[in-house]
Amino acid sequence: MANPGDFAATLKQQADIVRIVGEYVKLRKSGAQNYQGLCPFHQEKTPSFSVHVTNQFFHCFGCSVSGDVFDFVKKIENITFPEAVRLIADKLGIAVPKMQYASEEEARQAKQRGGLLDIHERACAFFREQLRRPEAAHAREYLKSRGLTSEMIAEFRIGFAPERGFVLRDALSGQFSDELMRESGLFSWKDKEQPADASGQLSEGSDADHKPTTDNRQLTTLYSKFRNRVMFPITSEQGRVIAFTGRTLAADEKSGPKYLNSPETPIYSKSRVLFNIDKAKQAIRQLDYSILVEGQMDCISVYAAGFHNVIASSGTAFTDPQARLLGRFSKNIVVNFDPDTAGAAAAERSLALLVSEDFQIKVLTLETGFDPDLYIRRKGKEAYAEALGHSARYFDYLIERARAQFPVRTPEGKVKALNFLLPHIQRVPSRIVRDELASEISHRLGIESSVLRQELRRAATARSTRHVSAPASAPCTDAERVLIRALASRDLAHAPVSQREGQDPDFDPARQAHFALTEDPVHTGCGTEELINLLLRALDDGVDPMSLPLSESDRTLLASVLLQASEELTPELLESALRSLNRRQKQRELEQLQRRVKELEAKEDLASRAQLAQERLRMKQAARTMGNAGSEAQ
Ligand SMILES: [Zn+2]
């Protein structure tokens, strides 16, 4: 973590990592101080991702990522440290002082992203304002015809892009640079030398009396990419506007595609965004399933009907990042689009991906000719709720499709049905589930199950399954574990030990361990020692142990000790741990002395004799304290 400022440190104390991570990962309480969930950074079926409450860090035993709340947000949002600080501060409603960046490039990128977000927010407000104007009567009429109430128009921040191409630019040009406007994806431009009306675009509308402003350096003129379109903002997971979809209101084909999307920009990557995820994520987590529809209009209708856990794929096939994004909230999904229609190929690919990402899929097939929007408008939300309740398991749906397409009574039909189903089954990650499906299919299609199983086995051998090792028990003793926990206790980050004077009436494990160890250093004699030393140094420097730059093995050791702790860290527990460590150390010293005495005994010279007598005395003393320590510790 580069240069954590005072503000970040304060913020970290106030941010609850469980709450912040919980916004991205479904967490379950596990033990007194941890939460567990499926790692958002690698694919897994059993949770190896843990969050520790007291020490405020996360660790994945599968892919070994770990860190504090800032590391988590940085990684999952793919942003810089200062941006993570800002994001967390925003979540907590705390004002952020001016930020520092690690490099000029980082500062430039962050500034650019900030500018692009501002421009989109401003454009969104502009489009909404335009929708209220007299010229937008046809846009309002269109929205009304689609059954959209003014509440929904406001909630989804729907707007209107006027026909005249310079209005948006003029509205923004005072506030944003030409360069930023170009990068926003909201504008097109042409070199000034080219005839402005080459495509008819610049002479359209009533801009005749309006002199376009030009950029002298670039000699270009910006004009709006979206014209005479109803504008649907596309938002990030946090609800920031990052792009738009414009639905044309023109009847002629000249005006471009029916739906026009923003191009990719530094803030918008199509493959990472799910329409409506910002508004839907809470409901998806609560209801533990999502409804996937094809288009934005469907999505808004379903949402307006009260099903808030709905998202749209916007007609393209699901991508890995999208599946991962959605999977953070729930792995149960009802897919409500007809894989036989226009987007069939995309739908098929989406389903295939979701199967291999271990989603539990149901398919809602509405009557022919009905999309969700039309269905709800014609039949009402109760009917839609009913249909949702009757959605079929994905594989039941596939089997029915196979039966409908192929004459499964004949041997040829069976082979065809099997060839249709096999690729789908092969994508299921779990062998147990695949076997279950195989026997079900053989039963329902009347196929010899051994044939089916054999086909699956053959496919399975080609399959590589990633194995995630379970959290390994750290190679340390119970006493060492207690010591590590004490040293890593959260309080120590607040002030260096030397600054804290007098006995604290409250139990401060870190400080007690520190005093015990500095008086009488413990040598554990194994890999743990290195970690303990690092923790001691962190304590002296007043550094948060969780932000120490540790090697991967130390990090995993620390994480596993903290995550596997079940007993409460009490003064008694710490004391007995320290005593037992001390005893082991004395034992080791004693053994060393014994070896030395043996060596000396073998020698004949006078000096050795004298030394021998001394060493024997020391040995006796050591043995006596050993005895005491032993009886106290028991
Ligand atoms: Zn992981």
Side-chain angles (χ1 to χ4, degrees):
M1 199 162 55
N3 187 23
D6 285 347
F7 177 73
T10 317
L11 188 63
K12 192 172 160 176
Q13 281 169 35
Q14 292 182 35
D16 175 10
I17 193 172
V18 177
R19 209 199 89 190
I20 304 276
V21 172
E23 289 182 20
Y24 301 88
V25 181
K26 202 171 157 184
L27 292 173
R28 278 211 185 88
K29 202 159 194 328
S30 139
Q33 297 181 328
N34 335 330
Y35 285 77
Q36 278 198 330
L38 294 172
C39 179
F41 305 118
H42 83 277
Q43 272 309 309
E44 62 176 6
K45 283 179 286 169
T46 47
S48 43
F49 179 86
S50 303
V51 179
H52 194 268
V53 179
T54 323
N55 292 83
Q56 294 282 303
F57 76 102
F58 70 94
H59 183 81
C60 173
F61 290 95
C63 65
S64 289
V65 295
S66 59
D68 62 14
V69 68
F70 298 120
D71 296 321
F72 180 84
V73 171
K74 260 167 69 185
K75 200 165 163 59
I76 200 146
E77 295 281 356
N78 194 23
I79 53 179
T80 61
F81 174 66
E83 287 171 294
V85 171
R86 174 171 289 271
L87 197 141
I88 291 171
D90 282 351
K91 283 178 196 285
L92 300 179
I94 298 170
V96 191
K98 228 173 162 31
M99 286 193 275
Q100 287 183 341
Y101 291 93
S103 68
E104 268 178 43
E105 179 56 18
E106 197 179 282
R108 194 195 64 78
Q109 286 177 6
K111 189 163 172 257
Q112 186 196 39
R113 278 198 291 268
L116 289 174
L117 286 171
D118 288 347
I119 227 174
H120 276 80
E121 207 57 53
R122 182 67 199 87
C124 182
F126 168 84
F127 293 138
R128 293 184 66 186
E129 191 186 295
Q130 292 293 314
L131 184 63
R132 290 190 280 267
R133 293 172 69 89
E135 307 90 277
H138 64 310
R140 292 193 298 272
E141 196 50 46
Y142 166 78
L143 290 168
K144 200 175 155 196
S145 77
R146 299 299 307 254
L148 281 182
T149 62
S150 46
E151 287 79 39
M152 279 303 125
I153 291 171
E155 178 143 19
F156 283 86
R157 291 187 274 172
I158 298 167
F160 170 66
E163 177 69 49
R164 289 173 301 139
F166 301 116
V167 202
L168 175 64
R169 183 206 60 206
D170 290 350
L172 298 180
S173 60
Q175 304 161 53
F176 303 99
S177 70
D178 242 37
E179 193 194 346
L180 197 66
M181 293 211 281
R182 245 187 288 266
E183 280 163 353
S184 72
L186 296 170
F187 297 96
S188 300
W189 60 89
K190 278 190 174 57
D191 288 341
K192 210 192 173 191
E193 287 80 12
Q194 286 179 4
D197 57 351
S199 66
Q201 278 164 313
L202 289 183
S203 54
E204 269 175 25
S206 50
D207 271 337
D209 60 336
H210 196 115
K211 282 269 187 300
T213 57
T214 53
D215 182 311
N216 290 330
R217 286 167 297 124
Q218 307 282 336
L219 289 175
T220 55
T221 304
L222 297 178
Y223 58 94
S224 198
K225 215 173 244 176
F226 299 93
R227 294 186 311 280
N228 193 22
R229 286 174 184 270
V230 169
M231 299 299 284
F232 299 95
I234 296 171
T235 49
S236 68
E237 200 194 321
Q238 280 71 42
R240 305 288 303 264
V241 180
I242 51 174
F244 290 94
T245 295
R247 203 278 189 195
T248 188
L249 292 169
D252 58 340
E253 312 223 321
K254 241 178 41 189
S255 50
K258 191 169 167 189
Y259 289 96
L260 182 66
N261 286 310
S262 290
E264 305 253 322
T265 66
I267 56 169
Y268 174 57
S269 164
K270 199 171 66 185
S271 66
R272 295 182 172 272
V273 170
L274 285 171
F275 184 74
N276 200 41
I277 191 71
D278 56 321
K279 288 198 264 300
K281 60 183 179 183
Q282 203 60 34
I284 293 174
R285 199 184 282 124
Q286 275 164 8
L287 300 168
D288 197 15
Y289 80 98
S290 57
I291 304 170
L292 176 64
V293 295
E294 223 162 339
Q296 289 157 348
M297 210 61 216
D298 285 332
C299 187
I300 296 171
S301 292
V302 173
Y303 185 91
F307 307 94
H308 286 185
N309 53 334
V310 62
I311 45 151
S313 63
S314 306
T316 51
F318 243 65
T319 61
D320 269 324
Q322 285 170 328
R324 225 164 274 184
L325 170 63
L326 184 59
R328 291 199 334 243
F329 306 108
S330 172
K331 286 225 162 182
N332 300 312
I333 186 169
V334 176
V335 178
N336 183 195
F337 45 72
D338 191 347
D340 289 326
T341 57
E348 195 97 313
R349 280 204 302 279
S350 295
L351 288 169
L353 179 74
L354 291 172
V355 169
S356 58
E357 299 276 319
D358 215 26
F359 275 75
Q360 302 301 308
I361 308 166
K362 284 185 166 184
V363 178
L364 169 54
T365 319
L366 300 170
E367 290 158 55
T368 323
F370 281 97
D371 60 22
D373 175 37
L374 190 65
Y375 193 89
I376 289 169
R377 276 191 288 143
R378 291 274 167 81
K379 308 199 170 209
K381 46 188 164 192
E382 291 77 18
Y384 188 73
E386 171 110 15
L388 260 180
H390 287 113
S391 43
R393 273 198 324 151
Y394 180 51
F395 279 94
D396 289 337
Y397 160 86
L398 283 177
I399 293 168
E400 283 319 304
R401 274 190 71 190
R403 283 160 68 110
Q405 282 178 66
F406 311 107
V408 291
R409 294 217 173 125
T410 68
E412 295 78 25
K414 285 188 211 294
V415 170
K416 279 183 181 158
L418 197 55
N419 284 335
F420 167 78
L421 289 169
L422 265 178
H424 295 284
I425 305 168
Q426 280 161 7
R427 289 193 194 101
V428 175
S430 157
R431 194 181 62 83
I432 298 166
V433 178
R434 284 200 304 274
D435 279 354
E436 276 169 17
L437 282 170
S439 60
E440 205 177 319
I441 287 166
S442 58
H443 175 71
R444 284 170 64 180
L445 297 184
I447 299 168
E448 189 61 53
S449 74
S450 60
V451 176
L452 195 44
R453 272 163 208 274
Q454 206 181 339
E455 284 298 318
L456 280 174
R457 293 272 148 71
R458 195 182 303 158
T461 47
R463 218 186 147 81
S464 67
T465 45
R466 235 190 307 167
H467 179 72
V468 171
S469 54
S473 203
C476 38
T477 64
D478 287 348
E480 282 163 354
R481 286 165 182 278
V482 171
L483 181 58
I484 290 172
R485 281 174 63 195
L487 288 172
S489 88
R490 209 186 172 201
D491 308 331
L492 70 88
H494 301 171
V497 173
S498 54
Q499 286 175 17
R500 289 184 271 168
E501 283 164 23
Q503 274 306 125
D504 199 310
D506 296 320
F507 172 54
D508 182 345
R511 199 163 66 147
Q512 288 195 10
H514 184 268
F515 283 146
L517 292 181
T518 36
E519 270 171 27
D520 199 356
V522 163
H523 299 286
T524 66
C526 65
T528 355
E529 195 176 324
E530 181 191 320
L531 179 60
I532 289 172
N533 283 330
L534 284 168
L535 291 173
L536 275 172
R537 212 172 309 147
L539 193 56
D540 280 333
D541 299 343
V543 170
D544 183 348
M546 301 326 293
S547 59
L548 280 176
L550 298 176
S551 70
E552 192 176 316
S553 62
D554 281 347
R555 202 150 35 89
T556 304
L557 176 61
L558 178 58
S560 69
V561 166
L562 295 174
L563 291 167
Q564 287 164 6
S566 53
E567 220 173 338
E568 200 197 335
L569 188 59
T570 59
E572 295 73 31
L573 184 66
L574 176 60
E575 213 179 309
S576 93
L578 283 167
R579 227 180 268 143
S580 120
L581 284 171
N582 225 293
R583 203 173 131 227
R584 211 180 74 198
Q585 191 177 333
K586 294 257 162 64
Q587 175 81 50
R588 209 169 280 137
E589 280 168 16
L590 184 61
E591 283 163 13
Q592 227 168 24
L593 272 173
Q594 285 166 339
R595 272 197 300 277
R596 180 96 184 104
V597 165
K598 273 213 175 101
E599 277 169 33
L600 288 170
E601 276 170 351
K603 291 183 181 168
E604 299 285 320
D605 62 299
L606 216 65
S608 296
R609 288 283 158 196
Q611 217 183 337
L612 179 64
Q614 228 171 31
E615 299 284 12
R616 273 187 176 143
L617 189 67
R618 280 178 59 193
M619 199 171 84
K620 228 178 230 170
Q621 281 167 342
R624 205 177 306 135
T625 45
M626 270 295 304
N628 288 345
S631 60
E632 276 169 48
Q634 250 99 77

